[in-house]
Amino acid sequence: MTLPVALLQHACGDDLAANLAHSAALIRKAAAGGAKLIVLQELHRSRYFCQTEDTAIFDLAETIPGPSTELLGALAKELKVVIVSSLFEKRAAGLYHNTAVVLDADGSIAGKYRKMHIPDDPGFYEKFYFTPGDLGFEPIDTAVGRLGVLVCWDQWFPEAARLMAMAGAQLLIYPTAIGWDPRDSSDEQERQRQAWVISQRAHAVANGLPVLSCNRIGHEPDPSGGPGTLFWGTSFVAGPQGELLAEANTQDETILTAEVDLARSEAVRRIWPYLRDRRIDAYGDLLRRYRD
Amino acid sequence: MTLPVALLQHACGDDLAANLAHSAALIRKAAAGGAKLIVLQELHRSRYFCQTEDTAIFDLAETIPGPSTELLGALAKELKVVIVSSLFEKRAAGLYHNTAVVLDADGSIAGKYRKMHIPDDPGFYEKFYFTPGDLGFEPIDTAVGRLGVLVCWDQWFPEAARLMAMAGAQLLIYPTAIGWDPRDSSDEQERQRQAWVISQRAHAVANGLPVLSCNRIGHEPDPSGGPGTLFWGTSFVAGPQGELLAEANTQDETILTAEVDLARSEAVRRIWPYLRDRRIDAYGDLLRRYRD
């Protein structure tokens, strides 16, 4: 028995209501196509607003539960699907998170994950907006299985994937917003995109479970006058040996579908039993900043 | 300034002296070609003997220092190169390790690494032969830099790569002996080979440093009557974004050369500063067997 999944890769504009309505329309299409688990991009309700630091942008944040989880929860219940959403969470005045929320097939909030690793580099000023998550690396139980939901920058940290797998996650799921600086050479751009794919496929390999990664497309201008960011799409689904089951291209709106065989993870792990052989007696220094 | 490296991919036969002589001949060729760092395959002195469990095979083990390090040390000194060797170490009666030894350019033993993660699956009965390493994940300082030497099965563990990087390793180096069960389908074989490549390229990405992996080629029969193992070669050198700098094919003897720019690691880590953002406050469970 396989799990039909769909990843919704699309561009976002300035109109928040229009973005959410577009996501909802794609969710309906994906559900009509048979998907039972539907993954949205990181911060799908808005442009990727971290290209600049502007206190007015905190107005975009909302509570969880809040308007978006109300709408998506109702949709999940109506369509009997599990939805992985990604929101700008307002927890308190001056306290905001980059938070993934999972709506269960009965419309309830199955759980949330607050992005633990927060990037900060030119065009991605996330440390200004997002307080690092304080919920840890805890999978979320749903009608379709135990989901290891992480967010974007977490992709680059094998530790996050490992901790989710060790807590019984059956799938790793990454809502993402990543793209190119148009000033970089095409060689550099391709190295970056491939590194991003390899890094996540390797989490599938190292942990013997499928990985779903959903990224946006389109060029988004930089309000501070820079060249903006060209989001590279490339949403994909990998199986537990890291093999690609489905992959979108870099520029087209795509409902990316795949059938994920959750039972295959156990078969793979029986012959590649990394959990058996981890040298936990010698890993202590992983809790240090640097071994100097 | 770049570091010229060479990986020696070749088949091994039953005659130990002939194998070592062949390695020595390839080392001379590689050095004549300008290589300053030369990497040998895992257990290059013999067939991959772990296809069966046989107490007589312990006769193949040798001490470190011992005959092989004498020969390779002399060669390293003569050619002014650093050599990464992989030996079956006899430490005491009944105590053996799968050990990488680094011969420095002055002929001395720069250091050794005892394989920490030991596999055991049909055709790879290493837990019978090799006591798990007790030297930890410590890089080895040499004339060409600080080397993060790991061995084969370690490839599948992001923890090992991370610990080496955190201790200042400038390169990760994997002597390897991995191949196919001829009974597996070609699809399964290709998934395995790709998983192996991806896993190691991802260590380069996650840690912002080059990775060198050297594997053997050729079919080796199973003394216990099984189908044997077909070693898949595919030795490669990846840069600090995981990009392939050089890659050998699956069947040809190859002196695989590349110019590795060690300074590029710092440039890559400045823009992908994963060491900055690791959530060491939330990684405690990495020291557990499972989070149950």
Side-chain angles (χ1 to χ4, degrees), chain A residues 204-261:
Chain A
V205 176
N207 297 291
L209 42 63
V211 170
L212 284 55
S213 184
C214 185
N215 188 30
R216 68 175 64 199
I217 51 168
H219 178 266
E220 298 189 11
D222 175 358
S224 61
T229 298
L230 180 57
F231 293 91
W232 68 48
T234 318
S235 302
F236 69 85
V237 179
Q241 291 174 303
E243 74 279 19
L244 285 175
L245 301 178
E247 187 177 33
N249 68 20
T250 57
Q251 76 274 348
D252 290 332
E253 177 168 308
T254 307
I255 298 177
L256 187 73
T257 62
E259 295 282 336
V260 176
D261 179 0

Coordinates of all heavy atoms in Angstrom, one line a residue, chain A residues 204-261:
Chain A
A204 N 17.6 11.1 3.1 CA 16.9 9.9 2.8 C 17.8 8.6 3.0 O 17.4 7.7 3.7 CB 16.3 9.9 1.4
V205 N 19.0 8.7 2.4 CA 19.9 7.6 2.5 C 20.3 7.3 3.9 O 20.2 6.2 4.4 CB 21.2 7.9 1.6 CG1 22.2 6.8 1.8 CG2 20.8 8.1 0.2
A206 N 20.8 8.3 4.6 CA 21.3 8.2 5.9 C 20.3 7.6 6.9 O 20.7 7.0 7.9 CB 21.9 9.5 6.5
N207 N 19.0 7.9 6.6 CA 18.0 7.5 7.6 C 17.0 6.5 7.1 O 16.1 6.1 7.8 CB 17.2 8.8 8.1 CG 18.2 9.7 8.8 OD1 18.6 9.4 9.9 ND2 18.5 10.8 8.2
G208 N 17.1 6.1 5.8 CA 16.3 5.1 5.3 C 14.8 5.4 5.3 O 13.9 4.6 5.7
L209 N 14.5 6.7 4.8 CA 13.1 7.1 4.7 C 12.9 8.0 3.6 O 13.9 8.7 3.1 CB 12.6 7.6 6.1 CG 13.5 8.6 6.9 CD1 13.8 9.9 6.1 CD2 12.8 8.9 8.2
P210 N 11.7 8.2 3.1 CA 11.4 9.1 2.0 C 11.6 10.6 2.4 O 11.3 10.9 3.6 CB 10.0 8.8 1.6 CG 9.6 7.5 2.2 CD 10.5 7.4 3.5
V211 N 11.9 11.4 1.5 CA 12.1 12.9 1.7 C 11.2 13.6 0.7 O 11.3 13.3 -0.5 CB 13.5 13.3 1.6 CG1 13.7 14.8 1.6 CG2 14.3 12.7 2.8
L212 N 10.4 14.6 1.2 CA 9.6 15.4 0.3 C 10.1 16.9 0.5 O 10.1 17.3 1.6 CB 8.1 15.3 0.7 CG 7.3 14.1 0.2 CD1 7.9 12.8 0.7 CD2 5.9 14.3 0.7
S213 N 10.4 17.5 -0.6 CA 10.9 18.9 -0.5 C 10.1 19.8 -1.5 O 10.1 19.5 -2.7 CB 12.4 19.0 -0.8 OG 12.9 20.3 -0.5
C214 N 9.5 20.9 -1.0 CA 8.6 21.7 -1.8 C 9.1 23.1 -1.8 O 9.1 23.8 -0.8 CB 7.2 21.6 -1.3 SG 6.0 22.5 -2.3
N215 N 9.5 23.6 -3.0 CA 10.1 24.9 -3.1 C 9.3 25.8 -4.0 O 8.6 25.3 -4.9 CB 11.5 24.8 -3.6 CG 12.3 26.1 -3.6 OD1 12.1 27.0 -2.8 ND2 13.2 26.2 -4.6
R216 N 9.4 27.1 -3.9 CA 8.6 28.0 -4.8 C 9.4 28.3 -6.0 O 10.6 28.0 -6.2 CB 8.3 29.3 -4.0 CG 9.5 30.2 -3.7 CD 9.0 31.5 -3.1 NE 8.3 31.3 -1.8 CZ 7.5 32.3 -1.2 NH1 7.3 33.4 -1.9 NH2 6.9 32.0 -0.1
I217 N 8.7 29.0 -7.0 CA 9.4 29.4 -8.2 C 9.1 30.9 -8.4 O 8.4 31.5 -7.6 CB 8.7 28.7 -9.5 CG1 7.2 28.8 -9.4 CG2 9.2 27.3 -9.6 CD1 6.5 28.5 -10.7
G218 N 9.7 31.5 -9.4 CA 9.5 32.9 -9.8 C 10.5 33.8 -9.2 O 11.2 33.5 -8.2
H219 N 10.7 34.9 -9.9 CA 11.6 36.0 -9.4 C 10.8 36.9 -8.5 O 9.7 37.3 -8.8 CB 12.1 36.8 -10.6 CG 13.0 38.0 -10.1 ND1 12.5 39.2 -9.9 CD2 14.3 38.0 -9.8 CE1 13.5 40.0 -9.5 NE2 14.6 39.3 -9.4
E220 N 11.4 37.2 -7.3 CA 10.8 38.2 -6.4 C 11.7 39.3 -6.2 O 12.9 39.1 -5.8 CB 10.4 37.5 -5.1 CG 9.4 36.4 -5.3 CD 8.8 35.8 -4.0 OE1 9.0 36.4 -2.9 OE2 8.1 34.7 -4.1
P221 N 11.2 40.6 -6.4 CA 12.1 41.7 -6.3 C 12.5 42.0 -4.9 O 11.8 41.6 -3.9 CB 11.2 42.9 -6.8 CG 9.8 42.4 -6.6 CD 9.8 40.9 -6.7
D222 N 13.6 42.7 -4.7 CA 14.1 43.1 -3.4 C 13.7 44.5 -3.2 O 14.1 45.4 -3.9 CB 15.6 43.0 -3.5 CG 16.3 43.5 -2.2 OD1 15.6 44.0 -1.3 OD2 17.5 43.5 -2.1
P223 N 12.8 44.7 -2.1 CA 12.3 46.0 -1.8 C 13.4 47.1 -1.6 O 13.2 48.3 -1.7 CB 11.5 45.8 -0.6 CG 11.2 44.4 -0.5 CD 12.3 43.7 -1.2
S224 N 14.6 46.6 -1.1 CA 15.7 47.5 -0.8 C 16.5 47.8 -2.1 O 17.5 48.5 -2.0 CB 16.5 47.0 0.3 OG 17.1 45.7 -0.1
G225 N 16.1 47.3 -3.2 CA 16.7 47.7 -4.5 C 17.8 46.8 -5.0 O 18.4 47.0 -6.1
G226 N 18.0 45.6 -4.4 CA 18.9 44.6 -4.9 C 18.3 43.9 -6.1 O 17.2 44.3 -6.6
P227 N 19.1 42.9 -6.6 CA 18.6 42.2 -7.8 C 17.5 41.2 -7.5 O 17.0 40.6 -8.5 CB 19.9 41.5 -8.2 CG 20.6 41.2 -6.9 CD 20.3 42.4 -6.0
G228 N 17.1 41.0 -6.3 CA 16.0 40.1 -6.0 C 16.5 38.7 -6.0 O 17.7 38.4 -6.1
T229 N 15.5 37.8 -5.8 CA 15.9 36.3 -5.8 C 15.0 35.6 -6.8 O 13.8 35.8 -7.0 CB 15.6 35.8 -4.4 OG1 16.4 36.4 -3.4 CG2 15.9 34.3 -4.3
L230 N 15.7 34.7 -7.5 CA 15.0 33.8 -8.5 C 14.9 32.4 -7.9 O 15.9 31.7 -7.8 CB 15.8 33.8 -9.8 CG 15.2 32.9 -10.9 CD1 13.8 33.4 -11.3 CD2 16.1 32.9 -12.1
F231 N 13.7 32.1 -7.4 CA 13.5 30.8 -6.7 C 13.6 29.7 -7.7 O 13.1 29.8 -8.8 CB 12.2 30.8 -5.9 CG 12.2 31.8 -4.8 CD1 11.9 33.2 -5.0 CD2 12.8 31.5 -3.6 CE1 12.0 34.1 -4.0 CE2 12.9 32.4 -2.6 CZ 12.5 33.7 -2.8
W232 N 14.3 28.6 -7.3 CA 14.7 27.6 -8.3 C 13.8 26.3 -8.3 O 14.1 25.4 -9.0 CB 16.1 27.2 -8.1 CG 16.6 26.5 -6.8 CD1 16.0 25.4 -6.3 CD2 17.8 26.8 -6.1 NE1 16.7 25.0 -5.2 CE2 17.8 25.8 -5.0 CE3 18.8 27.7 -6.2 CZ2 18.8 25.8 -4.1 CZ3 19.8 27.7 -5.2 CH2 19.8 26.8 -4.2
G233 N 12.6 26.4 -7.7 CA 11.7 25.3 -7.8 C 12.4 24.0 -7.4 O 12.9 23.8 -6.3
T234 N 12.4 23.0 -8.4 CA 13.0 21.7 -8.2 C 12.5 20.9 -7.0 O 13.2 20.1 -6.4 CB 14.6 21.9 -8.0 OG1 15.0 22.9 -9.0 CG2 15.3 20.6 -8.3
S235 N 11.2 21.1 -6.7 CA 10.6 20.3 -5.7 C 10.7 18.9 -6.0 O 10.7 18.5 -7.2 CB 9.1 20.7 -5.6 OG 8.9 22.0 -5.3
F236 N 10.9 18.0 -5.0 CA 11.1 16.6 -5.4 C 10.7 15.7 -4.3 O 10.5 16.1 -3.1 CB 12.6 16.3 -5.8 CG 13.5 16.4 -4.6 CD1 13.8 15.3 -3.8 CD2 14.2 17.6 -4.3 CE1 14.6 15.4 -2.7 CE2 15.1 17.7 -3.3 CZ 15.3 16.6 -2.4
V237 N 10.5 14.4 -4.7 CA 10.2 13.3 -3.8 C 11.3 12.2 -4.0 O 11.5 11.8 -5.1 CB 8.8 12.7 -4.0 CG1 8.5 11.6 -3.1 CG2 7.7 13.8 -4.0
A238 N 11.9 11.9 -2.9 CA 12.9 10.8 -3.0 C 12.5 9.6 -2.1 O 11.9 9.8 -1.1 CB 14.3 11.3 -2.5
G239 N 12.9 8.4 -2.5 CA 12.6 7.2 -1.7 C 13.7 7.0 -0.7 O 14.7 7.8 -0.6
P240 N 13.6 5.9 0.1 CA 14.5 5.7 1.2 C 15.9 5.3 0.8 O 16.8 5.2 1.7 CB 13.8 4.6 2.0 CG 13.0 3.9 1.0 CD 12.5 4.9 0.0
Q241 N 16.2 5.2 -0.4 CA 17.6 5.0 -0.9 C 18.1 6.3 -1.5 O 19.1 6.4 -2.2 CB 17.8 3.9 -1.8 CG 17.6 2.5 -1.2 CD 17.6 1.4 -2.2 OE1 16.8 1.4 -3.2 NE2 18.5 0.4 -2.1
G242 N 17.3 7.4 -1.4 CA 17.7 8.7 -2.0 C 17.3 8.7 -3.4 O 17.5 9.8 -4.1
E243 N 16.7 7.7 -4.0 CA 16.4 7.7 -5.4 C 15.2 8.7 -5.7 O 14.3 8.8 -4.9 CB 16.0 6.3 -5.8 CG 14.6 5.8 -5.4 CD 14.6 5.2 -4.0 OE1 15.5 5.5 -3.1 OE2 13.6 4.5 -3.7
L244 N 15.3 9.4 -6.8 CA 14.3 10.4 -7.1 C 13.0 9.6 -7.6 O 13.1 8.9 -8.6 CB 14.8 11.3 -8.2 CG 15.7 12.4 -7.7 CD1 16.3 13.2 -8.9 CD2 15.1 13.3 -6.7
L245 N 11.9 9.9 -7.0 CA 10.6 9.4 -7.4 C 9.9 10.4 -8.3 O 9.1 10.0 -9.2 CB 9.7 9.0 -6.2 CG 10.4 8.0 -5.2 CD1 9.4 7.8 -4.1 CD2 10.7 6.7 -6.0
A246 N 10.1 11.6 -8.1 CA 9.5 12.7 -8.9 C 10.3 14.0 -8.6 O 10.8 14.2 -7.5 CB 8.0 12.9 -8.5
E247 N 10.4 14.8 -9.7 CA 11.1 16.1 -9.6 C 10.5 17.1 -10.5 O 10.2 16.8 -11.7 CB 12.6 15.8 -9.9 CG 13.4 17.1 -9.6 CD 14.9 16.8 -9.9 OE1 15.2 16.1 -10.8 OE2 15.7 17.4 -9.2
A248 N 10.2 18.3 -10.0 CA 9.7 19.4 -10.8 C 10.9 20.1 -11.4 O 12.0 20.0 -10.9 CB 8.9 20.3 -9.9
N249 N 10.6 21.0 -12.4 CA 11.7 21.8 -13.0 C 11.8 23.1 -12.2 O 11.2 23.3 -11.2 CB 11.4 22.0 -14.5 CG 10.2 22.9 -14.8 OD1 9.8 23.6 -13.9 ND2 9.7 22.8 -16.0
T250 N 12.6 23.9 -12.8 CA 13.0 25.2 -12.0 C 12.0 26.3 -12.2 O 12.1 27.3 -11.5 CB 14.4 25.7 -12.5 OG1 14.4 25.9 -13.9 CG2 15.5 24.7 -12.1
Q251 N 11.1 26.2 -13.2 CA 10.3 27.4 -13.4 C 8.8 27.2 -13.6 O 8.0 28.2 -13.6 CB 10.8 28.1 -14.7 CG 10.5 27.5 -16.0 CD 11.4 26.4 -16.4 OE1 12.5 26.3 -15.8 NE2 11.1 25.6 -17.4
D252 N 8.3 26.0 -13.6 CA 6.9 25.8 -13.9 C 6.0 25.5 -12.6 O 6.5 24.8 -11.7 CB 6.6 24.6 -14.9 CG 7.1 25.0 -16.3 OD1 7.1 26.2 -16.6 OD2 7.5 24.0 -17.0
E253 N 4.9 26.1 -12.6 CA 3.9 25.7 -11.5 C 3.6 24.3 -11.7 O 3.3 23.8 -12.8 CB 2.6 26.6 -11.6 CG 1.6 26.1 -10.6 CD 0.4 27.1 -10.5 OE1 0.7 28.3 -10.3 OE2 -0.7 26.7 -10.6
T254 N 3.7 23.5 -10.6 CA 3.6 22.1 -10.7 C 2.9 21.5 -9.4 O 3.2 21.9 -8.3 CB 5.0 21.4 -10.7 OG1 5.8 22.1 -11.7 CG2 4.9 19.9 -10.9
I255 N 1.9 20.6 -9.7 CA 1.4 19.7 -8.6 C 2.2 18.5 -8.8 O 1.9 17.6 -9.7 CB -0.1 19.5 -8.8 CG1 -0.9 20.8 -8.7 CG2 -0.6 18.5 -7.8 CD1 -2.4 20.7 -8.9
L256 N 3.2 18.3 -8.0 CA 4.2 17.2 -8.2 C 3.6 16.0 -7.3 O 3.5 16.1 -6.1 CB 5.6 17.6 -7.7 CG 6.6 16.5 -7.9 CD1 7.0 16.5 -9.4 CD2 7.9 16.8 -7.1
T257 N 3.3 14.9 -8.0 CA 2.7 13.8 -7.3 C 3.7 12.6 -7.4 O 4.5 12.4 -8.2 CB 1.4 13.4 -8.0 OG1 1.7 13.0 -9.4 CG2 0.4 14.5 -8.0
A258 N 3.5 11.8 -6.4 CA 4.3 10.5 -6.3 C 3.5 9.5 -5.4 O 2.7 10.0 -4.5 CB 5.7 10.8 -5.7
E259 N 3.8 8.3 -5.6 CA 3.3 7.2 -4.7 C 4.4 6.8 -3.8 O 5.4 6.3 -4.3 CB 2.8 6.0 -5.5 CG 1.6 6.3 -6.4 CD 0.3 6.4 -5.6 OE1 0.2 5.8 -4.5 OE2 -0.7 7.0 -6.0
V260 N 4.3 7.0 -2.5 CA 5.4 6.7 -1.6 C 5.0 5.4 -0.8 O 4.0 5.3 -0.2 CB 5.6 7.9 -0.6 CG1 6.6 7.5 0.5 CG2 6.0 9.1 -1.3
D261 N 6.0 4.5 -0.9 CA 5.8 3.2 -0.3 C 6.5 3.2 1.1 O 7.7 3.0 1.2 CB 6.4 2.1 -1.2 CG 6.2 0.7 -0.6 OD1 5.7 0.6 0.5 OD2 6.7 -0.3 -1.2

